[in-house]
Amino acid sequence: MAEAALRTVTTTAYEPVADPEVQVSRVPAPEVLVDDDFIAAGGHPTHVHTFHQFLYVPLGRIVVTALGRDHELSPSVALWIPAGVPHSARFDPDSLVVAETFEPDLHRLPYSEVTSVNVSDAQRQLLLSRMRSSEVTEEDPAVFAVLCSGHRDVLPLPRPTGRAAATVAGELMRNPGDPRTASEWAESLYTSSTSLRRAFRAETGLAFSEWRTRLRLNHSLHLLAAGHMVSTVAARVGFVSTNGYILAFRRYFGETPGAYVKRSASRTAA
């Protein structure tokens, strides 16, 4: 769990990719001025690392900005930052940040750009145990493998923390096809639909319907990978129609499920 001092650097005009022998041109980045004196409790300015970094926030929230895009981290959403990518961060006052670092020469990262990943129970337990341990092994291939084990295309899905919203989230994660509306969920939990919807928005940053759609689409990726037909997948994850599933999939992933399956197959073959 190495921590490296920040330094003054000039970023190079390339986009880091998984294959170290391939570099993709981009608009040259400006000079990135970073020094330890600039680090504050609320975050730090733009800097780069020579190593891959996995950021996890077991407590609180932070926002990492990289290449003009914000990535919000929470106890259920972590972030991979490939070596060489300029980024900055803003911390909540009560945030606890865990950073795992890996040398690019020893570990080939499956992501070519900054990527949000949903933290599994196994990953969470591993990270927390390493926090508590006094004998942490640096550059552990097994740790790297576990942290890279999630599905590479999933949508970020923060988990709610309040009793009502967390109960609904847990049930939907076990059965994404559950057709109950927010009103029906609220009635079963003896609360109002307004309170439940507000809880989802406040605790995840997403409306209930948006959160449920993301969950269903994420679950559908695993079913597609297992070889199920698109119509079967749509029904199993709770979409009323196959067309509705295809439209939602295209809106979030930029392609149809069929096109995604073909691209995934070719990527695996390569």
Side-chain angles (χ1 to χ4, degrees):
M1 224 179 299
E3 288 295 338
L6 303 180
R7 53 194 175 80
T8 303
V9 299
T10 301
T11 59
T12 54
Y14 70 87
E15 180 72 22
V17 294
D19 188 339
E21 297 182 355
V22 179
Q23 295 181 352
V24 181
S25 298
R26 71 164 184 246
V27 178
E31 186 177 46
V32 181
L33 300 176
V34 182
D35 188 88
D36 289 340
D37 294 338
F38 289 95
I39 302 176
H44 51 73
T46 303
H47 62 287
V48 297
H49 298 304
T50 58
F51 46 79
H52 301 317
Q53 186 177 56
F54 183 91
L55 285 181
Y56 173 56
V57 187
L59 180 65
R61 294 177 185 270
I62 72 172
V63 176
V64 174
T65 301
L67 303 179
R69 182 180 176 188
D70 288 343
H71 304 265
E72 183 173 343
L73 280 65
S74 70
S76 55
V77 178
L79 192 71
W80 270 112
I81 305 174
V85 177
H87 60 282
S88 60
R90 304 189 303 275
F91 305 155
D92 280 355
D94 62 347
S95 295
L96 175 63
V97 182
V98 177
E100 294 282 356
T101 61
F102 302 92
E103 290 298 326
D105 291 343
L106 302 176
H107 305 279
R108 182 170 178 174
L109 191 65
Y111 307 107
S112 61
E113 56 188 28
V114 176
T115 302
S116 297
V117 293
N118 296 318
V119 181
S120 68
D121 290 338
Q123 291 170 332
R124 181 180 301 104
Q125 291 171 9
L126 171 65
L127 292 164
L128 294 179
S129 67
R130 285 172 64 79
M131 283 181 59
R132 293 189 295 266
S133 175
S134 60
E135 300 179 355
V136 173
T137 303
E138 302 289 349
E139 298 292 341
D140 190 334
V143 173
F144 183 77
V146 171
L147 297 182
C148 290
S149 62
H151 199 294
R152 64 187 298 170
D153 296 317
V154 294
L155 301 165
L157 194 69
R159 294 186 189 180
T161 55
R163 183 191 66 83
T167 298
V168 174
E171 291 296 326
L172 285 173
M173 291 178 75
R174 283 187 285 272
N175 178 20
D178 194 311
R180 280 179 283 183
T181 65
S183 296
E184 291 170 331
W185 279 112
E187 183 177 357
S188 69
L189 294 170
Y190 304 102
T191 186
S192 69
S193 61
T194 299
S195 295
L196 182 61
R197 293 177 188 276
R198 285 176 178 170
F200 264 91
R201 175 70 73 177
E203 297 166 21
T204 71
L206 303 170
F208 169 74
S209 58
E210 167 80 1
W211 191 94
R212 184 176 60 182
T213 297
R214 287 191 178 208
L215 172 69
R216 289 174 170 176
L217 290 173
N218 282 348
H219 190 68
S220 79
L221 296 176
H222 299 283
L223 296 177
L224 290 172
H228 294 286
M229 299 290 292
V230 172
S231 58
T232 301
V233 172
R236 287 185 60 175
V237 300
F239 282 89
V240 176
S241 69
T242 301
N243 189 54
Y245 168 60
I246 293 173
L247 290 175
F249 195 99
R250 178 184 287 164
R251 176 156 57 92
Y252 283 90
F253 295 111
E255 58 188 341
T256 65
Y260 171 82
V261 169
K262 291 180 181 178
R263 183 172 60 83
S264 297
S266 62
R267 184 170 60 189
T268 301

